[in-house]
Amino acid sequence: MLKQLYIRNFTLIDKLDIQLHRGFSVVTGETGAGKSIILGAIGLLLGQRADSKTLKQGADKCVIEAHFDLTDYQLKPLFDDNEIEYDAQDTIIRRELTATGKSRAFINDTPVPLSMLKELGDQLVDIHSQHKNLLVGQQDFQLAVVDIMANDEAELKSYQQVYSEYHTAVRQMEKVRADIEQNRQNADFLQFQYNELKDAKLVDGEQEELEQRSETMSHAEDIKSALYEADNALSADDSGAVTSLRTAMYALKGIGHVFPLAGELAERMDSTYIELKDIAQEVSNSMEDVEFDPAEFDQVNARLDLIYDLQKKYKTDSIGGLIALRDSLQQQLTNIENSDDTLQELEAKCEQLKADCQKQADALTKLRTKAARQTEKEMQQRLVPLGMPHVRFAITVEQSELGRNGQDKVQFLFSANTSTPLQPVSQVASGGEIARVMLSLKALISGAVKLPTIIFDEIDTGVSGRVAEQMAQMMQEMGMGGRQVISITHLPQIAALGSSHYKVTKTESESGTATTMTELTQDGRVAEIAQMLSGSDITEAAIQNARELLKVKR
């Protein structure tokens, strides 16, 4: 529950620091006093988007902070998952806004993103304003109410998991079907491309080898001339380098026994002689290998031209790329041949998943139908005391196509009297009747959902007298069992039943306009309710009436 609210420099609020209590509390004040400002501040704590215009004029920074007691609400896993320190008895949420437009959020002094603030806020406070009465006519809201009353969270989660698998399988099947159709239309073209690449008999690495052979044959005469010159220099009978080196080596060996250095040099020359002799032999052999064959030259270049044309056509710069494309085309053609089998397997998978979905959807329908009948009964019991003795409230659960939340279309039907047929609640209920329907629904689901704090913002619009008192009693009942219910109201019948009473006032001074909120004493409550009964001129009769409402004796 919300224990304390601190606001500084927010629109008309200089500073507000107020303690709040368990049970049913009321907030009163004249129209325009600033009650909506306080709700706006709480909304920022719950993750709503901020606007720097909400800062009090002249302020550099706005701070909104709230202390919560979470003892009974099992929220520790949420804190652990987000690595936030957990203090069940005093969880602090803070929001800071600056005049430059920057916004920061903290949970127990740990900086958090706005999404985290909203995730936690959704589990702490439910602000029900007048515009939320419109939710009663929306099918998503109606289905959510029935699900809460059915307590089918586990079943719905299980269904949604299977439905997600089914939905994914259907999309995959549709994609495969579209691909098959597209591929079949392109099959002839794909076959032509594959045949062209297959007939080319491409070998990885051959391009480099062919380019080298072409380059060699293009310069055959120059190569052969250079090899001849080198062979002559190395192997000429009288002046060749091999012969000269051998002569020098034997000369040094001849004096090695009398001049040791000559022997050493001769040994070194011996290994050089062997290497040089081998080089000379390889040069001689190469001369025989280098021949210019015009037919072979044309054949090599024709092969290269084919490779270059294919690379240009298929936009790749390597034989590896052409081979990869050829293999891809072969796989596509194989897939086309096997497409019917693949499609049949996917269709069978979809049918099985659909059957699984249908089975779980039927189970959900059964739970929802049972919950709908119980909700009808309880809503009837709650609405009759709220000034609608002949009210009828019904919930239809009709089946439709399988969807994210099952196959059920839920609709709330309403009639305020016996002569009017049941029709969708949003079409026939007045503003005051819708407010009473919403309050009754909130009272129902608050028992099923452990929400620490519920704030009603003028839910009593369009009602008065005995009906207002009954609505107050319903909110009072909701506030029992440790829950915190706060009602912003203009009706003295509701204000009188609060266990705590706060008043919002707006004052004018030379420094500007300021909004404040104070908790009223018992005498203060008498005066406030008397003013709500009689207006600005408080009469003795109004005071006496206020005491009667509060059950206070003079």
Side-chain angles (χ1 to χ4, degrees):
M1 66 160 238
L2 178 58
K3 300 193 303 180
Q4 181 181 357
L5 179 64
Y6 173 82
I7 304 172
R8 179 165 58 86
N9 294 332
F10 183 72
T11 64
L12 300 180
I13 299 175
D14 288 321
K15 180 180 178 182
L16 184 150
D17 192 356
I18 195 78
Q19 303 290 324
L20 297 157
H21 310 288
R22 291 183 183 275
F24 177 43
S25 301
V26 295
V27 179
T28 61
E30 295 181 1
T31 301
K35 298 184 291 296
S36 60
I37 293 174
I38 296 171
L39 282 181
I42 295 175
L44 289 178
L45 284 177
L46 304 182
Q48 292 180 6
R49 292 288 176 183
D51 186 343
S52 59
K53 294 179 182 179
T54 58
L55 266 71
K56 187 171 179 63
Q57 189 173 5
D60 296 326
K61 181 179 176 181
C62 163
V63 177
I64 305 167
E65 182 177 285
H67 293 245
F68 289 87
D69 183 348
L70 308 182
T71 306
D72 301 324
Y73 299 99
Q74 291 80 49
L75 291 174
K76 188 174 187 300
L78 178 62
F79 285 73
D80 292 342
D81 290 345
N82 291 277
E83 299 181 350
I84 300 172
E85 181 183 352
Y86 179 68
D87 186 342
Q89 295 182 338
D90 189 25
T91 290
I92 304 171
I93 298 179
R94 187 170 76 255
R95 189 86 181 269
E96 297 179 356
L97 312 175
T98 67
T100 59
K102 292 183 178 180
S103 169
R104 297 193 301 169
F106 303 85
I107 299 175
N108 289 336
D109 286 330
T110 299
V112 296
L114 207 57
S115 58
M116 176 61 210
L117 204 64
K118 189 176 189 310
E119 183 178 359
L120 178 59
D122 286 344
Q123 301 186 58
L124 296 181
V125 180
D126 175 21
I127 299 179
H128 183 89
S129 55
Q130 291 184 53
H131 76 273
K132 284 194 175 180
N133 286 338
L134 299 176
L135 288 174
V136 76
Q138 296 180 8
Q139 290 183 2
D140 288 347
F141 173 78
Q142 295 173 356
L143 179 61
V145 169
V146 172
D147 279 334
I148 290 172
M149 298 306 297
N151 192 25
D152 60 8
E153 183 178 358
E155 290 82 0
L156 180 58
K157 185 176 181 181
S158 176
Y159 166 81
Q160 288 175 336
Q161 183 175 351
V162 176
Y163 178 77
S164 178
E165 294 175 13
Y166 167 61
H167 190 58
T168 300
V170 168
R171 285 188 299 175
Q172 182 183 7
M173 178 185 67
E174 290 173 347
K175 182 180 184 304
V176 168
R177 183 179 286 128
D179 289 345
I180 289 172
E181 181 62 27
Q182 183 67 35
N183 288 338
R184 281 177 175 164
Q185 293 177 4
N186 296 333
D188 290 343
F189 181 59
L190 295 175
Q191 188 68 56
F192 170 79
Q193 290 181 314
Y194 171 70
N195 290 341
E196 185 175 42
L197 292 172
K198 180 185 177 183
D199 293 345
K201 294 182 174 55
L202 300 167
V203 178
D204 200 12
E206 73 168 313
Q207 181 178 350
E208 292 78 8
E209 181 183 346
L210 289 169
E211 288 173 340
Q212 182 59 57
R213 286 173 62 189
S214 176
E215 187 72 13
T216 298
M217 283 189 285
S218 296
H219 299 84
E221 291 300 322
D222 294 338
I223 294 171
K224 196 163 186 177
S225 176
L227 289 173
Y228 176 81
E229 186 176 347
D231 180 65
N232 189 54
L234 290 170
S235 303
D237 292 338
D238 297 330
S239 59
V242 175
T243 301
S244 298
L245 182 61
R246 183 181 60 184
T247 301
M249 179 180 67
Y250 284 145
L252 291 174
K253 280 184 177 181
I255 61 173
H257 63 288
V258 295
F259 187 50
L261 177 60
E264 294 176 5
L265 293 172
E267 289 181 5
R268 292 170 60 188
M269 291 175 70
D270 186 49
S271 61
T272 303
Y273 171 71
I274 294 172
E275 177 68 16
L276 189 62
K277 185 178 179 182
D278 184 65
I279 291 172
Q281 184 62 46
E282 193 164 341
V283 168
S284 178
N285 293 339
S286 296
M287 288 175 60
E288 299 176 3
D289 293 339
V290 178
E291 294 290 343
F292 179 74
D293 183 346
E296 182 184 1
F297 182 66
D298 290 343
Q299 183 180 4
V300 167
N301 284 332
R303 179 66 175 171
L304 283 173
D305 287 343
L306 172 64
I307 292 172
Y308 294 150
D309 288 344
L310 290 173
Q311 288 175 346
K312 182 178 180 181
K313 180 177 182 179
Y314 293 109
K315 295 181 174 57
T316 183
D317 58 359
S318 68
I319 283 187
L322 292 173
I323 291 173
L325 176 60
R326 179 199 66 197
D327 294 344
S328 174
L329 290 167
Q330 184 181 31
Q331 184 61 51
Q332 290 182 61
L333 290 168
T334 300
N335 290 342
I336 292 173
E337 291 177 4
N338 301 329
S339 59
D340 289 339
D341 294 339
T342 302
L343 188 59
Q344 286 175 5
E345 289 176 6
L346 287 173
E347 287 173 343
K349 180 180 179 181
C350 287
E351 285 300 319
Q352 182 58 55
L353 287 171
K354 184 178 182 180
D356 293 342
C357 280
Q358 189 64 60
K359 182 178 179 180
Q360 296 197 34
D362 289 342
L364 274 174
T365 298
K366 187 175 180 180
L367 290 172
R368 286 165 172 168
T369 302
K370 182 179 179 181
R373 301 293 80 81
Q374 183 61 31
T375 302
E376 289 174 347
K377 181 179 177 181
E378 295 191 31
M379 283 293 289
Q380 191 83 11
Q381 294 171 351
R382 291 180 179 275
L383 288 170
V384 168
L386 297 181
M388 291 185 282
H390 305 295
V391 68
R392 286 179 294 155
F393 185 88
I395 301 175
T396 60
V397 181
E398 298 178 354
Q399 293 187 4
S400 59
E401 295 293 327
L402 290 172
R404 171 74 179 163
N405 294 311
Q407 63 183 348
D408 303 312
K409 180 180 178 182
V410 170
Q411 189 169 52
F412 290 175
L413 303 178
F414 175 86
S415 175
N417 50 68
T418 55
S419 61
T420 304
L422 285 165
Q423 295 184 56
V425 62
S426 60
Q427 297 179 15
V428 297
S430 66
E433 289 168 342
I434 286 179
R436 283 173 273 179
V437 170
M438 280 300 295
L439 178 59
S440 299
L441 287 171
K442 289 280 185 178
L444 268 181
I445 64 179
S446 67
V449 180
K450 281 194 170 183
L451 192 66
T453 300
I454 303 175
I455 301 175
F456 290 108
D457 182 17
E458 299 184 5
I459 197 172
D460 49 34
T461 300
V463 300
S464 60
R466 177 64 181 166
V467 173
E469 185 178 348
Q470 291 292 330
M471 293 179 72
Q473 289 176 355
M474 191 175 292
M475 288 185 277
Q476 194 177 51
E477 176 189 335
M478 292 170 64
M480 295 177 180
R483 190 173 288 104
Q484 183 182 49
V485 178
I486 301 171
S487 176
I488 298 173
T489 182
H490 289 292
L491 297 181
Q493 293 89 348
I494 291 179
L497 288 186
S499 56
S500 301
H501 188 156
Y502 301 88
K503 182 175 181 179
V504 177
T505 57
K506 182 169 67 175
T507 58
E508 302 283 350
S509 66
E510 293 181 358
S511 59
T513 304
T515 291
T516 59
M517 178 176 174
T518 55
E519 184 174 1
L520 298 179
T521 63
Q522 197 70 3
D523 289 342
R525 294 191 69 181
V526 171
E528 174 68 5
I529 292 174
Q531 187 174 24
M532 294 172 74
L533 287 166
S534 65
S536 57
D537 295 329
I538 302 176
T539 64
E540 183 61 32
I543 293 174
Q544 183 60 36
N545 195 1
R547 287 198 178 101
E548 286 296 324
L549 287 173
L550 288 164
K551 301 296 189 292
V552 176
K553 303 297 182 182
R554 180 176 288 183

